[in-house]
């Protein structure tokens, strides 16, 4: 019987040409709990935070449903857009997201408290998600902006 590798394992095998990171003066467990919170229901600051600022999520048109396998989910969007695949590994404080890009968020301890790293391993350059705005500001700049927004929500919730 052939088994499909997990999304995290698949991405770990690829180089990560784009990476951004930030730190929070907070315990790793507290940051991981908020960053990795994924459950069935509407996407927002308390559910799949890394996609909460996406336009579909802001419009209430992005919903998380359980996927096949442990820690596997899909974010379904209204309209003809393909679902976003998500895999959460709480034991290793990591989450993979695959849509028009495939990337991994990881939470690790650092001298300042907690480091959150976002690595993008693959992009689909012809996908509208890539061409709408990325060409103007660049993928790295968008990743940095998005990570800072996520860290801002976590810092606000943890009071750090």
């Amino acid at each position: 019987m052939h088994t499909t590798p997990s999304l995290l394992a698949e991405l770990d095998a690829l180089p990560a040409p784009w990476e951004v990171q930030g730190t929070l003066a907070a315990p790793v467990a507290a940051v991981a709990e908020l960053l990795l919170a994924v459950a069935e229901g509407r996407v927002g600051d308390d559910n799949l935070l890394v996609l909460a600022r996406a336009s579909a999520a802001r419009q209430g048109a992005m919903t998380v449903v359980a996927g096949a396998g442990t820690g596997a989910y899909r974010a379904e969007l209204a309209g003809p857009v393909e679902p976003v695949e998500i895999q959460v590994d709480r034991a290793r404080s990591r989450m993979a997201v695959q849509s028009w890009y495939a990337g991994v968020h990881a939470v690790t301890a650092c001298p300042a408290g907690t480091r959150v790293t976002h690595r993008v391993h693959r992009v689909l350059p012809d996908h509208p998600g890539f061409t709408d705005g990325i060409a103007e500001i660049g993928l790295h700049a968008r990743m940095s902006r998005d990570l800072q927004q996520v860290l801002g929500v976590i810092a606000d919730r943890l009071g750090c």
Side-chain angles (χ1 to χ4, degrees):
M1 180 170 128
H2 180 270
T3 58
T4 306
S6 74
L7 180 56
L8 278 164
E10 179 185 331
L11 295 179
D12 284 344
L14 298 174
W18 300 278
E19 176 180 320
V20 294
Q21 55 184 274
T23 57
L24 291 167
V28 171
V31 173
E33 183 179 338
L34 295 173
L35 185 75
L36 304 177
V38 181
E40 289 191 297
R42 208 174 200 164
V43 173
D45 285 353
D46 59 348
N47 190 24
L48 194 55
L49 172 61
V50 300
L51 294 182
R53 297 297 179 274
S55 61
R58 289 193 320 265
Q59 296 166 13
M62 188 184 294
T63 304
V64 175
V65 296
T70 305
Y73 301 91
R74 284 187 333 272
E76 295 186 344
L77 294 85
V81 181
E82 292 183 21
V84 176
E85 299 298 322
I86 300 129
Q87 183 184 11
V88 179
D89 181 346
R90 287 179 179 81
R92 295 177 56 209
S93 300
R94 298 163 29 115
M95 175 177 20
V97 173
Q98 179 172 276
S99 61
W100 58 268
Y101 73 94
V104 176
H105 283 81
V107 180
T108 55
C110 71
T114 299
R115 175 174 293 117
V116 177
T117 305
H118 181 208
R119 292 182 178 98
V120 169
H121 298 268
R122 182 173 55 219
V123 296
L124 301 174
D126 295 333
H127 191 280
F130 184 76
T131 57
D132 292 347
I134 296 298
E136 297 164 13
I137 67 169
L139 181 60
H140 195 266
R142 179 175 170 172
M143 288 172 60
S144 184
R145 178 201 69 197
D146 292 352
L147 182 62
Q148 290 308 312
Q149 289 176 344
V150 166
L151 295 178
V153 170
I154 293 172
D156 185 56
R157 302 251 323 259
L158 296 178
C160 60

